[in-house]
Amino acid sequence: MGTPFRSRFCLLILVLLCICICSHSVSAENRRPKNVQVALRAKWSGTPVLLEAGELLSKEWKDHFWDFIESWHQSINEDTDSNTAKDCIRKIAKYGKSLLGETLASVFEFSLTLRSASPRLVLYRQLAEESLSSFPLADDISSNPVDGGIPESNETTNIKKSEPRLLGMNPRSPGKRCCWIDTGGSLFFDVPELLSWLQSTNVAADDTFQQPEIFEFDHVHPDSTTGSPIAILYGALGTKCFKEFHISLVEAARKGKVKYAVRPVLPSGCECNSGPCGSIGAEEPLNLGGYGVELALKNMEYKAMDDTAIKKGVTLEDPHTEDLSQEVRGFIFSKILERKPELTSEIMAFRDYLLSSTVSDTLEVWELKDLGHQTAQRIVHASDPLQSMQEINQNFPSVVSSLSRMKLNDSIKDEIIANQRMIPPGKSLMALNGALINIEDIDIYLLVDMVHQELSLADQYSKLKIPLSTVRKLLSVVPPSESFIFRVDFRSPHVYYINNLEEDAMYKRWRSNINELLMPVFPGQLHYIRKNIFHAVYILDPASLCGLETIDTIISLFENNLPLRFGVIMYSAKLIEKIEANDGELPLAQLADDSGEDISSLIIRLFIYIKEHHGTLMAFQFLSNVNKLRLDSFEEGTPERYHVERAFVETILPKEKSPPQDTLLKLEKEQTFNELSQESSMFVFKLGLSKLQCCLLMNGLFHESSEEALMNAINDELPRIQEQVYFGHINSHTNILDKFLLESGIQRYNPKIIADGKVKPKFVSLSASILGKESVLYDISYLHSPETVDDLKPVTHLLAIGVTSKKGMKLLREGIHYLIDGSKNARIGVLFSAEEDTNLPSLYFVKVFEITASSYSFVSFFFRTYFSPSLCFVYKKGVLQFLDQLCSFYEREYMQASGVTESTQALIDKVFELADANGLPSKDYESALSGFSADKLRMHLNKVIQFLCRQLGLEYGVNAVITNGRVIQLLDGNTFLSHDLHLLESLELKQRIKHIVEIIEGIKWEDIDPDMLTSKFISDIVMAISSSMSLRDRNPESARFEILSAEYSAVVLQNDHSSIHIDAVIDPLSASGQKLSSLLRILSKYVQPSMRLVLNPMSSLVDLPLKNYYRYVVPTMDDFSSTDHTVHGPKAFFVNMPLSKTLTMNLDVPEPWLVESVVAVHDLDNILLENLADTRTLQAVFELEALVLTGHCSEKDHEPPRGLQLILGTKSSPHMVDTLVMANLGYWQMKVFPGVWYLQLAPGRSSELYVMKEDADGSQGTTLSKRITINDLRGKLVHMEVVKKKGKEHEKLLVPSDDDNHSTNKKGNQNGWNSNFLKWASGFIGGKDQSKKGESTSRETRSVGRHGQTINIFSVASGHLYERFLKIMILSVLKNTHRPVKFWFIKNYLSPQFKDVIPHMACEYGFEYELITYKWPTWLHKQKEKQRIIWAYKILFLDVIFPLALEKVIFVDADQIVRADMGELYDMDLRGRPLAYTPFCDNNKEMDGYRFWKHGFWNDHLRGRPYHISALYVVDLVKFRETAAGDQLRVFYETLSKDPNSLSNLDQDLPNYAQHMVPIFSLPQEWLWCESWCGNATKSKAKTIDLCNNPMTKEPKLQGAKRIVAEWPDLDLEARQFTAKILGENVEPREQAVPPLQTQDKTGDFSSEDEESKAEL
């Protein structure tokens, strides 16, 4: 009874309230809440969803792409009921999902709506454009109109040819053709032409044209034959021509005629030919999702709003209906309307009233105290906690009042406080399957990729019959840290030390307590302790220049008493060449016959003699004397024999009793110490260090041999030793070298195996290959060591061997020796490959090897079961010896054989002979070879080649080692020994495999035949899992979430059937919480993971934690029209926003995105919705202007090469974008679009001094360009390493110009660091964002009398008011300056109206302009407020935001009026300073209390230097870059900005703070006058007037402008009239001048000064 009564009573009250509110119906109607809608579209035109589906499927498995094509072609005949976009997307999703498992299908469907594969299609557009532009005939065809269209003008055609690749433009259909074939030599537009080409006899032999390049992302048909002619089909699935070409090419590929690849492209004009669903998504702009939109409540203490009324605009219908099911102040209006539909208008008016009255941006202190805990309680108790969290933190100003009135449960508060003893309040963390995710950088694209990766692995493992519980354990396991250190164990008699700190008398006065290492010392100072802590052992050839210079360095450092133990291991490079040619053995016979000994071996022998007879010091002196005599003879090359002999004589002369010449002759004749010399070289060869010339082993760690590298090595090693000393693992009696080498020593160093961290090893997944019954891995037979049983072998080495390659045969023999030497954990499988014309002996050899390998496991099992283990060992050893002898015989006799039958019989006879000799049954070979089929074996070898090239990504004919998915290609010149296989086994077992084996061994297998559980099956599973898990891009760090209590204050969602688990700690009332709540809801909807979300709000708030509304834009199926073929795309929609609050809009986009507004009638910086009049929804459209390519450039053992200039482009247009490398982390960035790009060093000093290193594992090679593929929306981070060219090692990149000649005109100085580049790049200084009209006006400028050097002026504005000021500033400059002027504007914050008007203004007034932008680097501390971000852009990126050819620029504030010729300022001599500012004037005594730089910190810091104002300054960009001023400013900023009390006025405080390092030239005072700080007495002399904010009066800008500057109203009227003319609007009559403002308070409140009181913007 009570409930119905209460509901009726509430309804009665509601009706009464509605009637009361309706009395104010007119007012309420006018103040109805308004909405805001935001969309973000890609700059490139839309891409077909059908083609995107194929790209998404190919990411899962390459063959899915081809399966999808076949199923779609069949579907055309089955059903045609696809009349709308929604029907089509469902049909596409249906066929795509049919190829995937359930969980992957769900992610596929979401990715399809997310349009994440669109960039892949844009990349193919770039390649298609290049394909068409490569052939003049294609150009002629493409000039014809399509479907009766009008031919394009020459101007348009030129634009398209110059920039289509940069802008992602879609190529036009060439002559009504929608598909074509590119073979490198020609293009085919018709199937008959293609068939004729295929049938021609000379297809394979036609080398006239270079074949088109196939990239790793290309779709190559699985039946294609490697080495066949390449045919690339450009076209779109759904078109008739695509199907016809596809059928013909698939047939040709199966016959081995072509290597068939598809690049999906739907050319412009072919949309109507693509079938019912083929063009869905291609005919309208691509609207993106995956970003956040913020409407922040703005502080309006200074009235910075434009008073110009919006005259016209686009009024669109509200695209969304209001969600009435949402609770508003306790009422759910959907239910009320159901009961009282006749009161709809009154109830909605009441709802609007409640909504407009709930917004709050302030609360009392007692209301704020427990707000975080109350929010957590609301979320935890909600029926849908994730939805509740999203609604609260994304509409916080509207819900905060109701939250603050909730009664708090103490148990929730207590648990949160208890958890915060272990994690800081407000801290947010998130982990996916145990791996931490960086929540600052996470976005939906990255998260979906990570989840897809996990689900894909889970799907593969479930197909391997692994239980779900084990799958979850495998996905959650944390691999060992990659920072595992490997040290080369160099301990041997061949190390010759010059000193011993523990025994030599010269060190006796030093202290011996190793705990002294923990004592602090000055930077760069070493600890002088009488203990061998650092062993610096150099590996060198004593006859090489590098070796001799290193010897001199060692002696110099030794004589300077450095606390290091120095030693050398010497080798002869010529001897090592002979060892390599002799299969790694000393060529004793050849050495005995050699008449002349090489110089290196002679030096080593003489060194050993002197050491034995006269001590080590004299032996090292002998080495130094060799170099001294070489230098004295003025010979630049290596030392000659007479240098060595003379040095020997001079060295031992004072000590030798007999004539030293006799001793020398005797030593040379008797070859004394020859064996030791050879053993030393052999030792270096086995260590793997001979190819690296000179190198340093610091306690076994590899480094280069330079002195700088030595100091870096000490600095790296010292903290490791200090840590061990601190924990007691090392004491004064510990032999540090033995300890380190015992723990992590390896017997051989190979840079291809031990990556240095900058170049990641190449991995491939073998799981799909193991699953495939027809895969070459399925039937492979493995070999293992004789002494091991046939059990689990966690490490699998697959040797890819070219059967006709000497290098391949050498590798195969090393693999057999590796097994003979013994390996408990590894097995070897051999993958032979051969060309089609391989001779019969080679085929017989392969067959014999396979017969032997296949019988190995079976026979060894038989022997082990029925005979003794020793007999089994003898048999296995016999098998391996047989194979080794067979390889040796085959290599010796048949590698060059012609392949006649007689030679084949000799091989067979040898097989029988070797089998009998090693105890193997020769009759088994006889019977197995009797049915030998060469054609069948050739087919198998061809299948192996396809596997190696297609699945493993190997180059054709290259030998390789694949260890559990890690691929090491052995190119010419690389040796790979059995020791390398041991090293590879040890490394991979520790880092990638061991923890997986432990989990696999613990599996309780179910639903699997026990007979299948063989050691081969388990070993295959370990190989599959370890290889696939290595491809995960996963953070190795984890956190112990389980220690946090989750009983009362956590959201726990269980799903035992999911392989995805999310752990998170979230502050729901934080910016990261706003984004995470949306991301978690998406995961919950599409993946249904298990989740454990611990809420961690701030416990004691003193201010509102969120002062904004937030929407995260996520696509849904509803974005696809259910009435036509339109794809609307996702949008952010804010319903019922507050009317009287000023809002500012910000976008929270993924880190690599650069966005700009392109449609916005209203001022997005100052949104006041009550000004919208009849418009219900404010519309804004942004555009993804570009993606950001970022990178870090390094130079080994040196600081990053600051100032290094880089260019980026395509092969045909190598310079499209440029930048330079910062000293800060070697960082650089460029704007790009999806495509294939090439990064190079810019012409000039950069390319004269440096070359880029190749990326290959351990490669010492260099390259002229680096290919970079952009094929997603996540940009790319590139790590590149450069090295100085030979002979340029000591030259500096930045060569400063002479500071004393600052009065010289810079144009005349051609010796600057980038003068060559400036000349070369001058043609590129016109930016891509400059309009055509802007270009034409520069020509007009010269015709109307502007002559001389162009003056470059830089400014920034945000919001309509400051853009209004900016136009006035431009006019004031132009009216007073007589030279050509070019303006540079930061594009990020300009409104669409300004960008529309500025080209016309440039044309009308005769100036040039360019729009520039720069993405905030991820490593630099970020600002959150838009105002502070704008300030930062004024100062932090001056060296990189402008083109490198720009030499000088003047910054002028937008709200400044110029009264002088800016040429005077531009030409001013800055006396060698990079920056020039005007000091604050001090003659307005009323403001003395606000001059903060006159006292306190600033007074002490400046020490008499002036504090300058940032409204006007000059930047000498040449000097700025020369002195790395930008790098220094960023270092200061990074240090200071983390303190919230520092840099309150960032753009001004930073250069003033840093002026002792980045000197400032003080401009004359008349160059900047502002009323706030300067007296009226100097106003008449002012050359510029700035509208500074006045912290005392807080006068609005507009009011002050009209009052202070006499010419301002006229300039304003002129600018507004021009703007109105362009936009087709009327201008209101000019306002009356404003009377002078009366000073309100002359004293002011000096203590409550906020940051905007000093702001110049």
Side-chain angles (χ1 to χ4, degrees), residues 545-564:
L545 296 180
C546 171
L548 293 172
E549 290 172 357
T550 301
I551 290 294
D552 285 347
T553 301
I554 291 171
I555 293 174
S556 172
L557 295 174
F558 163 72
E559 290 175 347
N560 281 288
N561 283 344
L562 254 70
L564 281 78

Side-chain angles (χ1 to χ4, degrees), residues 47-102:
T47 51
V49 177
L50 178 62
L51 302 187
E52 292 174 21
E55 299 304 308
L56 290 171
L57 290 166
S58 71
K59 282 178 65 180
E60 179 57 39
W61 178 236
K62 290 181 179 180
D63 289 351
H64 285 341
F65 176 83
W66 301 101
D67 297 337
F68 182 68
I69 289 176
E70 298 304 329
S71 63
W72 189 261
H73 281 157
Q74 293 173 11
S75 76
I76 295 173
N77 303 324
E78 294 172 7
D79 64 289
T80 57
D81 185 22
S82 302
N83 300 319
T84 67
K86 188 168 282 188
D87 292 337
C88 284
I89 189 71
R90 285 174 176 161
K91 178 183 174 182
I92 294 168
K94 170 188 160 188
Y95 282 99
K97 287 159 71 173
S98 67
L99 302 172
L100 304 170
E102 185 180 346

Side-chain angles (χ1 to χ4, degrees), residues 1606-1621:
E1607 65 267 36
W1608 194 93
D1610 294 327
L1611 291 171
D1612 179 43
L1613 182 62
E1614 182 178 351
R1616 289 197 294 135
Q1617 284 177 336
F1618 181 82
T1619 302
K1621 182 177 75 172

Side-chain angles (χ1 to χ4, degrees), residues 348 1067 1094:
M348 289 304 293
D1067 177 5
V1094 178

Side-chain angles (χ1 to χ4, degrees), residues 1140-1398:
S1140 57
K1141 298 287 183 181
T1142 303
L1143 306 171
T1144 184
M1145 183 183 293
N1146 296 308
L1147 261 60
D1148 174 22
V1149 297
E1151 199 59 50
W1153 291 13
L1154 276 172
V1155 300
E1156 59 172 332
S1157 59
V1158 290
V1159 178
V1161 176
H1162 301 84
D1163 185 353
L1164 301 183
D1165 251 22
N1166 301 283
I1167 299 171
L1168 196 60
L1169 293 175
E1170 64 185 5
N1171 291 344
L1172 256 61
D1174 296 334
T1175 306
R1176 273 282 274 168
T1177 300
L1178 181 146
Q1179 309 274 340
V1181 179
F1182 289 80
E1183 188 171 75
L1184 176 60
E1185 181 202 350
L1187 297 169
V1188 180
L1189 172 68
T1190 58
H1192 297 279
C1193 181
S1194 62
E1195 182 183 358
K1196 191 167 184 182
D1197 294 320
H1198 294 82
E1199 294 294 320
R1202 72 182 188 192
L1204 188 74
Q1205 297 165 344
L1206 308 175
I1207 59 173
L1208 184 80
T1210 62
K1211 279 188 173 178
S1212 57
S1213 303
H1215 184 183
M1216 288 178 153
V1217 197
D1218 58 42
T1219 191
L1220 56 78
V1221 174
M1222 296 180 182
N1224 315 109
L1225 307 177
Y1227 179 82
W1228 54 269
Q1229 72 167 239
M1230 297 187 196
K1231 294 196 302 183
V1232 290
F1233 268 84
V1236 179
W1237 305 99
Y1238 294 88
L1239 181 70
Q1240 302 178 59
L1241 302 182
R1245 191 156 184 82
S1246 294
S1247 56
E1248 288 169 5
L1249 293 188
Y1250 286 95
V1251 288
M1252 285 192 283
K1253 282 190 70 174
E1254 289 182 344
D1255 284 345
D1257 297 352
S1259 171
Q1260 301 299 308
T1262 59
T1263 180
L1264 294 176
S1265 66
K1266 184 184 183 77
R1267 190 174 70 211
I1268 296 168
T1269 302
I1270 306 293
N1271 58 3
D1272 56 32
L1273 286 165
R1274 288 166 45 199
K1276 186 150 287 186
L1277 176 64
V1278 177
H1279 291 277
M1280 58 177 288
E1281 187 175 351
V1282 295
V1283 291
K1284 280 191 175 161
K1285 291 182 177 178
K1286 196 169 183 180
K1288 306 279 188 180
E1289 293 86 356
H1290 303 296
E1291 290 192 34
K1292 291 184 178 180
L1293 177 63
L1294 302 185
V1295 181
S1297 54
D1298 188 359
D1299 288 351
D1300 296 327
N1301 296 333
H1302 36 251
S1303 60
T1304 306
N1305 191 335
K1306 275 211 166 47
K1307 286 175 66 178
N1309 179 12
Q1310 297 300 324
N1311 300 318
W1313 67 289
N1314 59 353
S1315 59
N1316 292 334
F1317 180 74
L1318 294 183
K1319 284 189 236 173
W1320 179 80
S1322 60
F1324 298 97
I1325 196 168
K1328 300 292 183 276
D1329 295 318
Q1330 185 173 343
S1331 71
K1332 297 289 171 296
K1333 294 188 179 179
E1335 290 170 4
S1336 66
T1337 56
S1338 65
R1339 292 189 290 271
E1340 277 182 38
T1341 303
R1342 288 186 284 275
S1343 68
V1344 297
R1346 292 187 183 274
H1347 301 287
Q1349 185 183 7
T1350 300
I1351 298 168
N1352 293 283
I1353 294 178
F1354 160 50
S1355 195
V1356 58
S1358 178
H1360 286 191
L1361 175 64
Y1362 279 94
E1363 289 174 352
R1364 181 176 168 184
F1365 286 143
L1366 186 57
K1367 294 171 195 171
I1368 295 166
M1369 183 271 283
I1370 291 171
L1371 292 178
S1372 71
V1373 169
L1374 297 172
K1375 289 180 186 297
N1376 292 284
T1377 302
H1378 305 295
R1379 280 166 39 188
V1381 180
K1382 180 168 183 177
F1383 290 96
W1384 302 77
F1385 306 119
I1386 292 187
K1387 191 177 187 179
N1388 307 36
Y1389 303 103
L1390 294 177
S1391 71
Q1393 287 94 327
F1394 184 86
K1395 285 180 282 191
D1396 288 343
V1397 169
I1398 196 66

Side-chain angles (χ1 to χ4, degrees), residues 26 50 132 382 454 544 618 936 1088 1195 1206 1441 1595 1623:
V26 176
L50 178 62
L132 291 174
E454 301 293 298
S544 68
M618 187 174 284
K936 190 175 179 181
Q1088 294 89 42
E1195 182 183 358
L1206 308 175
I1441 199 169
E1595 180 184 18
L1623 299 179

Side-chain angles (χ1 to χ4, degrees), residues 1394-1608:
F1394 184 86
K1395 285 180 282 191
D1396 288 343
V1397 169
I1398 196 66
H1400 300 279
M1401 195 171 179
C1403 184
E1404 178 73 18
Y1405 289 97
F1407 64 86
E1408 295 181 78
Y1409 77 94
E1410 188 164 336
L1411 305 180
I1412 51 176
T1413 187
Y1414 197 79
K1415 184 73 176 182
W1416 194 284
T1418 54
W1419 49 267
L1420 195 65
H1421 182 254
K1422 293 181 181 177
Q1423 295 294 327
K1424 295 179 181 177
E1425 295 179 29
K1426 183 187 283 189
Q1427 180 65 63
R1428 293 182 62 78
I1429 295 171
I1430 292 171
W1431 289 344
Y1433 271 104
K1434 285 174 59 176
I1435 188 65
L1436 284 180
F1437 311 115
L1438 294 172
D1439 50 342
V1440 288
I1441 199 169
F1442 298 106
L1444 297 177
L1446 194 65
E1447 297 185 39
K1448 183 182 278 189
V1449 70
I1450 302 173
F1451 177 84
V1452 183
D1453 246 352
D1455 61 348
Q1456 207 157 338
I1457 307 298
V1458 175
R1459 289 180 164 181
D1461 190 332
M1462 294 301 278
E1464 181 186 345
L1465 180 59
Y1466 201 78
D1467 296 336
M1468 187 174 291
D1469 177 14
L1470 305 187
R1471 300 184 185 177
R1473 313 286 173 91
L1475 296 170
Y1477 286 78
T1478 308
F1480 265 92
C1481 40
D1482 54 7
N1483 51 345
N1484 186 355
K1485 300 304 179 184
E1486 293 180 349
M1487 300 298 294
D1488 282 351
Y1490 291 95
R1491 299 184 202 281
F1492 56 88
W1493 58 91
K1494 293 286 189 180
H1495 49 79
F1497 165 80
W1498 277 107
N1499 187 55
D1500 296 338
H1501 179 77
L1502 292 172
R1503 296 183 180 179
R1505 296 186 182 92
Y1507 184 87
H1508 302 85
I1509 190 167
S1510 64
L1512 175 79
Y1513 55 89
V1514 187
V1515 188
D1516 181 343
L1517 287 169
V1518 175
K1519 179 62 69 175
F1520 196 86
R1521 290 168 180 145
E1522 278 178 6
T1523 57
D1527 294 312
Q1528 295 182 62
L1529 288 171
R1530 286 185 287 271
V1531 169
F1532 280 118
Y1533 167 80
E1534 184 69 14
T1535 305
L1536 298 172
S1537 61
K1538 293 173 182 176
D1539 179 1
N1541 298 316
S1542 291
L1543 301 179
S1544 59
N1545 194 22
L1546 195 157
D1547 61 318
Q1548 201 163 267
D1549 288 348
L1550 183 61
N1552 279 291
Y1553 180 87
Q1555 59 180 303
H1556 60 289
M1557 292 292 290
V1558 183
I1560 295 175
F1561 175 73
S1562 294
L1563 296 171
Q1565 196 71 65
E1566 65 265 18
W1567 272 106
L1568 194 142
W1569 182 94
C1570 78
E1571 186 185 63
S1572 300
W1573 307 102
C1574 305
N1576 286 324
T1578 57
K1579 183 176 179 181
S1580 59
K1581 298 179 182 178
K1583 295 184 176 181
T1584 69
I1585 296 178
D1586 187 66
L1587 301 174
C1588 302
N1589 284 326
N1590 191 316
M1592 185 162 61
T1593 64
K1594 294 185 169 53
E1595 180 184 18
K1597 285 265 184 180
L1598 274 177
Q1599 189 175 329
K1602 297 166 188 174
R1603 179 181 58 78
I1604 297 168
V1605 187
E1607 65 267 36
W1608 194 93

